[in-house]
């Protein structure tokens, strides 16, 4: 089936960390098991990284919808750039 992903922008400044919740990315594929959906980070943030809260400082390249629901994934801005927009794909 089709997969629907709804995402909202998040603003980070130097050194900020935002924990991803279902208010930011939420996906559904029409099945009864949304917790099995996986996100793959194909284009990480230029000025930071996506990381699992149990492993701070270690960038991850994938995570599950269950991780998002449990608030276990963060977008962390490094201190290398102050302004500008970037996105994570």
């Amino acid at each position: 089936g089709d997969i629907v992903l709804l995402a909202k922008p998040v603003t980070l400044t130097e050194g900020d960390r935002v924990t991803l919740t279902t208010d930011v990315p939420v996906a559904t594929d029409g099945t009864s098991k949304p917790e099995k959906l996986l996100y793959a980070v194909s284009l990480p943030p230029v000025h930071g990284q996506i990381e699992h809260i149990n492993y701070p400082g270690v960038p991850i390249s994938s995570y599950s919808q269950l991780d998002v629901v449990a608030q276990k994934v963060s977008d962390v801005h490094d201190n290398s750039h102050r302004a500008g927009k970037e996105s994570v794909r």
Side-chain angles (χ1 to χ4, degrees):
D2 294 329
I3 295 176
V4 176
L5 175 64
L6 302 173
K8 294 180 183 175
V10 174
T11 302
L12 292 173
T13 56
E14 290 181 76
D16 277 355
R17 167 188 301 269
V18 170
T19 300
L20 302 184
T21 66
T22 54
D23 290 340
V24 179
V26 63
T28 182
D29 67 353
T31 69
S32 62
K33 298 186 188 262
E35 68 276 3
K36 292 195 175 200
L37 288 172
L38 297 176
Y39 294 87
V41 180
S42 59
L43 183 63
V46 175
H47 302 288
Q49 61 193 25
I50 305 296
E51 58 187 43
H52 194 281
I53 63 165
N54 291 345
Y55 305 100
V58 179
I60 58 174
S61 60
S62 65
Y63 55 92
S64 71
Q65 182 72 16
L66 190 58
D67 291 330
V68 174
V69 170
Q71 299 182 5
K72 300 255 181 197
V73 180
S74 293
D75 184 345
V76 181
H77 189 288
D78 64 18
N79 291 321
S80 67
H81 193 262
R82 191 185 302 226
K85 293 183 180 181
E86 66 180 9
S87 63
V88 177
R89 294 182 193 251

